[in-house]
Amino acid sequence: MKATSSSPLVDALPVVIHDLHKAYRRGATSTPTLCGVELTVDAGECVFLVGPSGCGKSTLLSILGCILTPDRGTVQVLGNDLSRLDETSRSTLRRNHIGFVFQRFQLIRGLSALENVCVPLLLRGESQRVARQRASALLAQVGLGDKGRSKPNELSTGQCQRVALARALVGDPELILADEPTAALDATAGQEVMQLLRKLTTGEGKTAIVVTHDPRILDFADRVLHLENGRIAEADLSTTAASAGTWR
Amino acid sequence: MWFLAIKTLLADRGKLATALVGVVFSVVLVNLQGGLFLGLMGKASLMVDYGQADIWVGHRGMHNVDFTQDVPVRWGYRIRGIPGVKNAEPYVIGWSSMALPSGSFESVVVVGCEPASLLGNAWNITQGAPSSILEPDGIVVDELEAEKLEYPRMREVREINGHRARVVATSRGILGFLVAPYVFTTLDRAATYLEKPLDTCSYFLVQLEPGADAQQVCEMIHDRVPHLDAQPRDDYARMSTEFWMTRTGLGIIFGLATQLGLLVGLVMVAQTLYASVLDRISEFGTLKAIGAKESQVYRILLAQALMLATLGSIVGLVVVAVVQHYFSSPRTTILIPLSLSLGSCALVLAICLVSSLLPYLRVRKVDPMMVLRS
């Protein structure tokens, strides 16, 4: 089975997980990380994953991002059953339909802000001209229209994360996966980044899954899922805050 | 991918400079070693290259232009009778010694040519004329051998093997592979200096009629005079060169030194690319995490290696040209044909591409998961 290459399956839910199991093996020892996770995420929804360190949040995010493969269970991302995709198809799905925001931004040092945002498009084979046009527009949307030529070391951490956000969105992905996007930011910068994330995802009907430890940003979630002992133990913790529209 | 490759390569100027030094070093070393080698080996066949003969005919088993065996001059008649042969002139090369003003002696290689045609006479004449050797006791010496011969002046009289010799002309740049200076004169006078019988010579220099096939004429010479060997000019030049290469180990020595230079260059390039990749390993992880294919990652490394090879080759060839301009001399000739320059660049390019495999093997193992764990 190949990953969808053009528009996503509009009828399919972005994320459907059933009985997901994942364990890490070191020698003869196997450490279960995810034990029977069940999850469904609606299109346009912004779901936060919270839980203690080592509970499997990043593992779940990696599986959704087609970086890791599950041991057992079914995972459907944008209508694609990951267990039926080969390595190349998973890379293609990731490149064309999923945007990543990392905790430490992971910008490429040698590239300017604009060039960093261009990277996903260049990997897709877009021309430099098209990539630069789209990247410029997105940088302007995240408030860094005048910082296109700046290198990552010339930007503040908040600005770096906004560049990373623009990079995640430049390919117009249907699914955004953010791993602790505010962990390296102060309170103000964190709020700004989350406001942008919500504005640029929900406003465009994109689905976002955010892993976080940061209680200050829970208000931005449509749904908060608590992951503990490899299971989603608690759900809909703060829908009230989200429905109150505090992120808007 | 070029864009990413160039930008990330230029981002770390220090590592770029280190890698470039490796490539430049390789290019310079290969060209200079090769150029010196070709320059030296060119001297081994100098007489053949400039002798104006299409075919060199000598005693059976001839293998080096400077080491000769006598053959009867009368066999020249048989050669001249072969279809396609325009003329076949006897030629003498042999060892003697010149008495110096200080009372010491210097070994010289005496070269005697037929006075009527002057075939095989000295070239690059700077004083006097080629035909000056027709004057009584006339000899031509090379001005670059002046120190060895204790600075002979024009018209000065010397003694070679106890016989009078007068410097009537000088040449420039006729320096052989051996340390002994060449002395050009007429056939008869050379025989006197060498104490050879007048009815013997070292070679017959054969010139062909237009359109005659040199290989075919050589075979006919073999058939008609079985005691003689005949070689077209280029073949005999190669044979004279190979004599020194194979019998002295010079080829192996130069070859090893060149290979060592290439190896050092390869290690420097591979090490630098590898260090650069290690330094940016998380960036490669990021590229993989956002969907870069293995082939795209490898293309970045390949493009960087290609750029290093191209830049390094250009800089290296400029350095080589400067060194050649200032340091190449008739005595220490640095002979760099275009084929050597292009060949060295191709070799360095291949090395750089191979060098990119090492960092690629490291990058292949990069788990994109690492960027989520950082």
Side-chain angles (χ1 to χ4, degrees):
Chain A
M1 183 182 174
K2 293 287 175 188
T4 50
S5 55
S6 55
S7 62
L9 298 175
V10 286
D11 295 334
L13 291 168
V15 173
V16 178
I17 298 175
H18 173 63
D19 193 28
L20 170 62
H21 290 258
K22 178 72 183 177
Y24 290 105
R25 287 172 191 81
R26 180 165 290 179
T29 315
S30 176
T31 311
T33 307
L34 300 175
C35 313
V37 171
E38 302 280 346
L39 174 65
T40 302
V41 179
D42 292 326
E45 195 177 12
C46 183
V47 173
F48 278 31
L49 278 175
V50 296
S53 292
C55 71
K57 302 186 299 292
S58 294
T59 301
L60 181 55
L61 204 68
S62 299
I63 290 171
L64 290 172
C66 311
I67 291 172
L68 282 181
T69 51
D71 294 339
R72 189 148 58 88
T74 56
V75 179
Q76 286 197 2
V77 175
L78 302 167
N80 296 279
D81 185 346
L82 297 191
S83 64
R84 299 175 69 182
L85 297 184
D86 58 19
E87 179 65 41
T88 310
S89 302
R90 287 201 299 272
S91 279
T92 308
L93 178 64
R94 195 158 67 228
R95 188 169 61 242
N96 294 341
H97 300 285
I98 299 173
F100 272 102
V101 180
F102 305 106
Q103 180 181 344
R104 300 297 306 173
F105 331 128
Q106 302 297 344
L107 299 177
I108 295 171
R109 279 172 296 168
L111 305 183
S112 67
L114 182 72
E115 290 159 350
N116 264 291
V117 180
C118 286
V119 169
L121 295 178
L122 296 176
L123 291 176
R124 286 187 192 182
E126 292 283 2
S127 69
Q128 281 263 359
R129 192 179 57 81
V130 171
R132 281 178 177 270
Q133 277 174 355
R134 258 201 69 64
S136 292
L138 258 167
L139 272 182
Q141 278 185 278
V142 298
L144 295 175
D146 58 339
K147 296 285 183 186
R149 287 168 179 265
S150 303
K151 293 280 171 64
N153 61 359
E154 297 162 355
L155 300 171
S156 67
T157 51
Q159 289 172 328
C160 282
Q161 195 58 298
R162 282 194 269 165
V163 173
L165 185 59
R167 180 179 65 186
L169 294 166
V170 75
D172 199 21
E174 291 85 7
L175 178 62
I176 308 293
L177 301 176
D179 182 36
E180 309 259 13
T182 60
L185 309 179
D186 60 34
T188 312
Q191 292 288 320
E192 284 173 4
V193 164
M194 285 313 299
Q195 276 170 2
L196 274 170
L197 180 70
R198 290 284 346 219
K199 182 180 153 195
L200 296 173
T201 55
T202 312
E204 300 286 327
K206 298 180 192 307
T207 306
I209 297 177
V210 179
V211 164
T212 187
H213 272 117
D214 189 352
R216 298 169 300 183
I217 62 168
L218 294 182
D219 287 350
F220 290 95
D222 291 332
R223 194 154 50 114
V224 177
L225 305 177
H226 193 85
L227 197 61
E228 194 158 5
N229 298 324
R231 285 192 172 86
I232 293 178
E234 200 175 337
D236 294 332
L237 284 178
S238 59
T239 46
T240 45
S243 58
T246 49
W247 53 268
R248 289 184 177 92
Chain B
M1 290 308 100
W2 277 100
F3 165 78
L4 276 176
I6 293 170
K7 283 285 184 174
T8 48
L9 188 65
L10 291 177
D12 194 339
R13 304 276 160 87
K15 285 202 169 63
L16 172 65
T18 310
L20 272 179
V21 166
V23 179
V24 170
F25 178 77
S26 290
V27 172
V28 170
L29 200 76
V30 170
N31 276 279
L32 289 185
Q33 285 278 358
L36 282 167
F37 179 66
L38 291 177
L40 184 64
M41 286 298 123
K43 289 179 179 176
S45 62
L46 191 75
M47 298 297 288
V48 185
D49 292 331
Y50 288 90
Q52 297 167 294
D54 298 316
I55 293 173
W56 283 66
V57 183
H59 197 278
R60 192 165 54 197
M62 67 181 193
H63 46 54
N64 183 292
V65 67
D66 291 317
F67 300 142
T68 61
Q69 290 293 325
D70 291 347
V71 294
V73 172
R74 68 174 186 281
W75 286 353
Y77 295 112
R78 296 197 216 172
I79 297 169
R80 287 184 200 104
I82 291 171
V85 172
K86 184 177 163 190
N87 59 5
E89 305 288 8
Y91 195 58
V92 167
I93 296 178
W95 289 73
S96 188
S97 63
M98 179 187 279
L100 302 180
S102 63
S104 61
F105 294 88
E106 178 69 35
S107 292
V108 290
V109 177
V110 176
V111 180
C113 61
E114 173 59 41
S117 65
L118 294 180
L119 189 60
N121 193 14
W123 60 96
N124 277 353
I125 299 295
T126 52
Q127 292 183 83
S131 59
S132 300
I133 59 167
L134 300 178
E135 294 176 24
D137 307 324
I139 61 167
V140 181
V141 293
D142 197 274
E143 62 184 34
L144 295 176
E145 301 282 28
E147 189 180 349
K148 285 183 198 167
L149 299 176
E150 296 185 358
Y151 305 98
R153 286 169 283 114
M154 283 289 281
R155 319 309 301 176
E156 186 178 332
V157 174
R158 292 287 179 93
E159 267 189 14
I160 297 175
N161 201 14
H163 301 279
R164 277 170 63 92
R166 184 188 296 275
V167 178
V168 292
T170 58
S171 62
R172 184 175 177 80
I174 307 179
L175 304 174
F177 187 81
L178 302 166
V179 290
Y182 282 111
V183 171
F184 289 85
T185 187
T186 58
L187 200 61
D188 291 355
R189 206 171 299 127
T192 306
Y193 294 151
L194 298 170
E195 294 187 342
K196 280 177 185 284
L198 284 170
D199 59 352
T200 63
C201 64
S202 310
Y203 295 101
F204 292 102
L205 303 190
V206 175
Q207 288 185 313
L208 298 175
E209 296 284 3
D213 182 68
Q215 204 62 51
Q216 218 168 20
V217 172
C218 285
E219 285 167 16
M220 284 191 276
I221 293 171
H222 279 299
D223 292 343
R224 191 163 291 189
V225 196
H227 288 286
L228 295 180
D229 260 356
Q231 297 284 344
R233 179 180 51 209
D234 292 346
D235 289 3
Y236 194 43
R238 196 175 309 118
M239 186 183 277
S240 294
T241 304
E242 282 172 1
F243 174 85
W244 294 110
M245 279 173 64
T246 53
R247 297 208 182 187
T248 61
L250 269 174
I252 295 171
I253 292 165
F254 271 87
L256 276 179
T258 306
Q259 282 174 22
L260 196 65
L262 279 173
L263 186 70
V264 171
L266 181 146
V267 170
M268 282 177 81
V269 171
Q271 197 274 339
T272 310
L273 280 175
Y274 190 68
S276 172
V277 161
L278 282 187
D279 203 32
R280 295 181 287 125
I281 203 76
S282 73
E283 294 183 357
F284 283 101
T286 304
L287 285 176
K288 284 186 165 187
I290 61 179
K293 289 182 282 189
E294 288 285 339
S295 61
Q296 287 177 313
V297 171
Y298 186 50
R299 261 158 46 205
I300 290 173
L301 291 171
L302 267 184
Q304 290 185 339
L306 196 64
M307 277 188 293
L308 279 175
T310 308
L311 265 177
S313 294
I314 292 169
V315 176
L317 289 181
V318 170
V319 173
V320 167
V322 171
V323 172
Q324 189 185 20
H325 180 76
Y326 286 104
F327 294 98
S328 181
S329 65
R331 191 170 296 285
T332 315
T333 309
I334 305 174
L335 185 66
I336 304 175
L338 185 63
S339 56
L340 177 62
S341 296
L342 294 179
S344 67
C345 291
L347 200 60
V348 164
L349 174 66
I351 283 172
C352 285
L353 294 183
V354 170
S355 300
S356 71
L357 282 175
L358 184 65
Y360 174 64
L361 292 177
R362 178 68 187 85
V363 169
R364 263 190 76 173
K365 290 181 186 168
V366 171
D367 184 355
M369 183 70 186
M370 70 180 289
V371 294
L372 291 168
R373 288 190 185 124
S374 62

